[in-house]
Amino acid sequence: MSTRPSRPRITVIGTGYLGATHAAAMAELGFTVTGLDVNPEKTEALAAGRAPMYEPGLEELLRRHVAGLEGSSGRLTFTTSYAEAAEAGDVHFVCVNTPQRAGEYACDMSYVDAAIDSLAPHLTRPALVVGKSTVPVGSAARLARRLAELAPAGEEVALAWNPEFLREGFAVEDTLHPDRIVIGVAAGAAGELAERLLREVYATPVAEGSPFLVTDLPTAELVKTAANAFLSTKISFINAMAEICEAAGGDVLRLAEALGYDDRIGRKFLRAGIGFGGGCLPKDIRAFMARAGELGAAEALSFLREIDSINMRRRGHMVELTRETVGGSLIGKRIAVLGAAFKPDSDDVRDSPALNIAGQIHLQGAAVTVYDPQAMENARALFPTLRYAPSAAEAVNGAHAVLHLTEWREFRELDPAALGEFVSERNVLDGRNTLDPTAWRKADWRYRALGRPTA
């Protein structure tokens, strides 16, 4: 494989949540970057400095670097042409979506396959293709063979895998200052060159202390899915303990606090509530199970079925708790839902527990009104039959119960006494265990939370 310039030019294929953030961050690190997306509306918005989703700090980076904007570095451009992207870059990051396959647990690889098939014929000179999407283990080897078949440059086009570990709400920080950088490369000269190129790409965070781990391709693919499986397990574990606490009269918050002092366990992800959602954890653990079955190792991940079951059970439990709170029937009741995004500091409503619960309550006869600081437009598109309000006060107007389902700071800072003036009955159900029960009870609210005593 031929040598390349010491300062590689970068392209990013797919400019959704992962790709747009990665492209803007690479420009911030000083690289010339071209972002590609097949959706012209998305590339036009990005070229105007507008992010395709809410992510703190992302639009500031875009405005700082998108070519043509006043005061920008001009290092970041966008296109819908694979030919232009191939010509503009030496290192091509593939950041397209890998959703759950319809009707199955398995991962839908069609977007990744389409990106490789569209890019490869235009790779007429040495290049490195780097997968960042979360894929089933074994995909990289298959895609490497596909690149070798389709790229005119043949074996001078190498493939590496560099999984992403972004937290929505902290994606810019996680890209610029990652807690670790993992790259999977093939054996031989092509793998050595891929490692050198990626060390150049990540030179700044590595110099700041970010660990740089080099593995084989299968291990790199497994890191992200294994990490998500572990996080899911920890979340569902504490939610299972919440079920035990409810049965035994215990307090899951005090239990989690005591567990967290054990440094073998730690405090993170021990917040009991309505469970996890979003575009990663649920579909990734299911795809992991499906792939293990294909590899003949289904029993190794059979525990993830129970993890998934516990997680989904929390949503139903919140619906039942709401019904109980309002007298045994939801028909004709007014329910306010605070939160639509699957987590705070995001407008992402994919597999959102909050919206799932709101939808279930609505189907059981209640009038449900939702408010979220950022996710209203996305929520309305997904659940148009729900009602939406422009503020928390308007959402709770006339409500028989208020459900706190996304832990936005705005909701933690609400004045319970002031909010109580708008509702029909002062019932609050804390689905995230982050409100102050003392403050709400002092304002004459009946406060209830998953896994905690009623008083």
Side-chain angles (χ1 to χ4, degrees), residues 239-256:
N239 282 332
M241 293 303 101
E243 293 183 11
I244 299 298
C245 283
E246 289 174 3
D251 186 333
V252 73
L253 254 66
R254 300 308 300 272
L255 173 63

Side-chain angles (χ1 to χ4, degrees), residues 85 186 198 410 450:
L198 288 171
E410 176 181 330
L450 301 177

Side-chain angles (χ1 to χ4, degrees), residues 217-340:
L217 290 169
T219 302
E221 292 170 300
L222 283 168
V223 171
K224 177 62 183 294
T225 47
N228 280 351
F230 187 86
L231 295 179
S232 301
T233 300
K234 197 169 183 181
I235 295 167
S236 283
F237 171 82
I238 200 62
N239 282 332
M241 293 303 101
E243 293 183 11
I244 299 298
C245 283
E246 289 174 3
D251 186 333
V252 73
L253 254 66
R254 300 308 300 272
L255 173 63
E257 181 183 10
L259 291 173
Y261 281 110
D262 188 329
D263 59 12
R264 297 169 302 175
I265 297 172
R267 297 183 179 186
K268 291 185 176 180
F269 292 91
L270 284 181
R271 175 76 64 176
I274 58 173
F276 56 81
C280 291
L281 263 63
K283 63 97 174 174
D284 284 353
I285 64 170
R286 294 165 190 160
F288 204 9
M289 285 187 278
R291 183 57 178 152
E294 293 170 354
L295 293 169
E299 290 186 2
L301 297 182
S302 61
F303 72 95
L304 288 180
R305 291 189 179 275
E306 183 58 24
I307 297 305
D308 198 14
S309 177
I310 292 169
N311 186 58
M312 298 306 293
R313 197 158 67 229
R314 303 311 286 163
R315 304 178 186 190
H317 187 53
M318 177 56 77
V319 175
E320 293 303 315
L321 188 61
T322 305
R323 180 189 293 109
E324 178 187 320
T325 298
V326 298
S329 174
L330 288 164
I331 296 174
K333 298 296 183 180
R334 296 175 65 88
I335 307 298
V337 170
L338 300 182

Side-chain angles (χ1 to χ4, degrees), residues 75-389:
R75 290 195 289 266
L76 179 57
T77 58
F78 295 94
T79 183
T80 58
S81 168
Y82 274 94
E84 289 182 14
E87 179 61 30
D90 306 300
V91 179
H92 307 278
F93 286 96
V94 177
C95 299
V96 297
N97 193 21
T98 52
Q100 187 173 335
R101 196 182 299 164
E104 302 179 32
Y105 271 12
C107 173
D108 180 355
M109 285 289 291
S110 61
Y111 297 103
V112 175
D113 291 343
I116 295 295
D117 286 356
S118 298
L119 176 66
H122 301 288
L123 298 176
T124 58
R125 54 186 173 77
L128 174 63
V129 177
V130 184
K132 289 196 72 68
S133 305
T134 304
V135 298
V137 62
S139 300
R142 177 179 64 81
L143 294 170
R145 292 192 296 269
R146 186 68 173 162
L147 277 171
E149 293 171 3
L150 296 179
E155 294 183 359
E156 291 201 304
V157 176
L159 181 132
W161 217 263
N162 171 218
E164 57 90 6
F165 305 105
L166 305 187
R167 300 165 298 163
E168 292 197 33
F170 301 91
V172 171
E173 176 73 12
D174 288 345
T175 306
L176 293 174
H177 309 286
D179 57 11
R180 79 280 206 196
I181 300 161
V182 177
I183 66 161
V185 298
E192 292 172 2
L193 181 56
E195 179 182 342
R196 289 200 299 273
L197 277 169
L198 288 171
R199 284 189 182 277
E200 173 69 17
V201 169
Y202 291 116
T204 298
V206 169
E208 293 175 349
S210 295
F212 190 91
L213 289 77
V214 182
T215 75
D216 53 55
L217 290 169
T219 302
E221 292 170 300
L222 283 168
V223 171
K224 177 62 183 294
T225 47
N228 280 351
F230 187 86
L231 295 179
S232 301
T233 300
K234 197 169 183 181
I235 295 167
S236 283
F237 171 82
I238 200 62
N239 282 332
M241 293 303 101
E243 293 183 11
I244 299 298
C245 283
E246 289 174 3
D251 186 333
V252 73
L253 254 66
R254 300 308 300 272
L255 173 63
E257 181 183 10
L259 291 173
Y261 281 110
D262 188 329
D263 59 12
R264 297 169 302 175
I265 297 172
R267 297 183 179 186
K268 291 185 176 180
F269 292 91
L270 284 181
R271 175 76 64 176
I274 58 173
F276 56 81
C280 291
L281 263 63
K283 63 97 174 174
D284 284 353
I285 64 170
R286 294 165 190 160
F288 204 9
M289 285 187 278
R291 183 57 178 152
E294 293 170 354
L295 293 169
E299 290 186 2
L301 297 182
S302 61
F303 72 95
L304 288 180
R305 291 189 179 275
E306 183 58 24
I307 297 305
D308 198 14
S309 177
I310 292 169
N311 186 58
M312 298 306 293
R313 197 158 67 229
R314 303 311 286 163
R315 304 178 186 190
H317 187 53
M318 177 56 77
V319 175
E320 293 303 315
L321 188 61
T322 305
R323 180 189 293 109
E324 178 187 320
T325 298
V326 298
S329 174
L330 288 164
I331 296 174
K333 298 296 183 180
R334 296 175 65 88
I335 307 298
V337 170
L338 300 182
F342 87 95
K343 64 171 292 184
D345 297 313
S346 172
D347 63 356
D348 193 345
V349 298
R350 290 175 295 173
D351 200 8
S352 165
L355 277 184
N356 181 274
I357 290 166
Q360 289 187 56
I361 291 173
H362 169 70
L363 289 173
Q364 294 185 30
V368 180
T369 304
V370 179
Y371 167 68
D372 188 283
Q374 291 293 336
M376 298 288 278
E377 183 177 345
N378 290 340
R380 188 178 285 110
L382 193 63
F383 281 84
T385 56
L386 299 176
R387 300 177 183 180
Y388 295 90

